[in-house]
Amino acid sequence: MKKILLALLTACALPFIAPAQDMHAYANSNYGGISSAKLNPAMLADSRYKVDILLFGMNTAFSNNYVGFSKEALAHPNYSFFGAIKAESDTDRNTVGFPNFQDTLFQQKYISTRRDGQIKSFSLKNRIELPSALITINERHAIGIYGAIRSYVNVDGIEEPLANQIYADFGDSAQYDAPLTNKRFSVQYMSWQESGVTWAFTVKEEGEHFLKLGVTPKLLLGLGSAYMYAEDFEYMTTSDSTLTFFKSDVQYSHSNNFEFPEGGGFKYKVSSKVGVGLDVGAVYEWRPDHEKYKYDMDGETNLWMRSKNKYKLRVGVSITDIGAIKFERGQYSYNFEADVNNWNIRDLVFDSVPIQSFDDTLRARFLEKETSQFYSMNLPTAFSVQIDYHIWKDFYVNFTPFVAVQWKKNANKVHEISNFTLTPRWDHKWFGVMIPFSYNQYRNFNMGACARIGPLIIGTDNLATFFSKKKTVYGADFYFMAKIPIFYKEPKDKDKDKVSNKRDKCIDVPGVWEFLGCPDRDGDHIQDSEDLCPDTPGLKQYNGCPDKDGDGIIDGQDACPDDPGLPAFNGCPDKDGDGIIDKDDNCPDEPGLPIFKGCPDKDGDGVMDKIDLCPEKPGPVENEGCPEIKLSLVDLAGQALKISKQAKDGSFTFESLPNDSICVFRLEGDLDKTVGVNEVKVIVNGSAKRAIRSQADGLFRFDIPKPVGNGLKQVEVKDVVIVLTKEEQEVIKKAFDNLEFESGKDVIRSTSFTALDELAALLVKHPDWALKISGHTDNVGKPAANLTLSKKRAESVKRYLVSKGVAANHLKTEFFGQTRPIAPNTTPEGRQKNRRVEMLIIDFSTMGPVDQPAPAKTPAKTPAKKPPVKK
């Protein structure tokens, strides 16, 4: 029976000897590259490699929990490879190598068994790495292309009595004639070629949290497989050569590429269908210091440093080798019932093809059971968790629980060995050292070592086989690989301008990405080498020089850089087109004359309009631009009175007036000027009086006060204010509150019309009323311009009310400019209050002249009835 099992195992191992834990210590490295995909495909995303090319590699491992091998058997070797080649005969060759292997008591001295009552298992596996590659597409995606040839041999479920009897070549007489039962016994083998494409990608990148996923679909081509499986296997040994089996059902088969022609020889053929496999995985990384691994370069921001490992903690989860391969069953391999008494196993003769001889024996000895043409072999599915912690700099520690799915009641499978591995490692770019400590399901504790030296990786998960003081070992493994690694490098930036050296056209001077590293100091998007004003932002059409006012004249040549102007005046404006630039023009909004610094003199009388009391009619300078007015003054008796003096302001001075009389007079001269004059100031003996034109006869009248002593007492005529009802006050208030003008103009806004219409209707209804309209401004601008604006706005209100039926002689306008503020002009709020038009309802019979300019230095006066209306 021992030879039968050895024959079966030998046949299973014909194509390939069979991996340990698939190099978990190296696969968990940040520089595992394409090799990491075997453990968790998600690890390929955000790799340290641009490209990682695996040229060739192999991983071979053997492990069991029963037969131990003493390392003393390897002592005192006298073997050398070249000595064996030079040996002249086979006898000489047998004397070189390990002498202890020639000892006739080799098994007794150097082989031992573990007799602990546990179920015995045996595992042999091998992985040959075919050329493979990892290619990083971008920061979020990577692909891997790989191929491998894999072989597994698993022997499981051998209980200790059966294991002892097989080891003793059925010579253990203590077990003779005792029926025994082995609960579950299995031998499985499979070799296959697989080709896979891995896609790994980042699905979450939020601050310190980073998540990536990976998947590897695989195409599988079976190269060979075999299995033997029995439950409740009953047997008995009666001697070292006879076996008895008691009606035990055995499942047995192998792929049909173990068939051999009758004429001899061996011809390999593929006997499986193409299978499909799958690996899936996820990796979470905690990156508490993620900000220091970000940078900006070549016009892109917030880039990851691809050459750096960024996590403090990495946790991966994966399921590998999901799938199966369907094989065509060998012609003479089938399930059978083992039922035979005293079978002399020493009569078994194996020819040069052990598997064929074994099939012939089974066919001759046991009853065949109905068996399908095809069977499936499951892949060695496994689940694992990879926990990696960054200790400091290039030092890490990793813990990987690796749980193999055993499929214990499945005859058609191969499987991994469950183990737990703790691996401290030093992980540098070109070099790395890993020391894995593992404990597997065979209750074997192992320590290994792996070294990564540039493109070469070499290691073992069972260093005790070679170097430990432990005399007996129960397994051994070894792996190596050769690669061509192409790592990521952070771009070099000599001048620290965030433009990489390889793309920087001004490598020694800090610049901007817009100009490939060449400077633009003023940030106007014109590089300094082409910028005539490199320190001041400008425009491209002016070679980088500025034109703040947009007048087409660059600031360096513009005498008025803040105001749009004309080339003829070196960029200075002349809004009124009078040939005098605005900054030298006292009246920049009206065409004027150089003699008056740009101010107009419309009537051509030599008095500029802003100080001309009669700007529409020429008059002498001594009369402030107004034409002379002749005055005829008579008393009630018709006696002419003598005028002593006529002042420039239009007032008249009398030497004396007769007592107890009322003087009446008329104005003569320029009728266009005098028609609208309804009030005249008269000075009698130094006292000012108002003379008011009668609406009936057009004569001016004023009361002559009685004399006091040698002179006349001054009588001041004041407006008599009308007392209004509550409803009338509301009409007036509404007109006040809603009166608004276009900014800087005397044009009334349409929103004011409704309130003014109601005011006009009220004035028409009361013919004994009059309205005094006073215009005011703030102190912004020139006093003369402010005076003109206040006058025009007051007159604009008057014209509107006249258009609505109010008699012109019932409307009196005054204009004071900036001379009567009601609030400080030092704040925006104060200036807003000072920009107003005041209105006052008075008794018509007491109303003086209808048009009145501002006195030179009149103190501010608050309106008697209503607050001002804002302009």
Side-chain angles (χ1 to χ4, degrees), residues 148-165:
I149 298 174
R150 301 171 64 184
S151 299
Y152 282 71
V153 175
N154 298 120
V155 179
D156 298 296
I158 303 177
E159 297 179 12
E160 194 164 281
L162 179 58
N164 292 339
Q165 194 65 285

Side-chain angles (χ1 to χ4, degrees), residues 542-562:
Y542 304 128
N543 296 320
C545 288
D547 176 20
K548 289 185 291 186
D549 54 16
D551 59 3
I553 302 168
I554 63 175
D555 293 351
Q557 301 172 6
D558 196 330
C560 301
D562 297 313

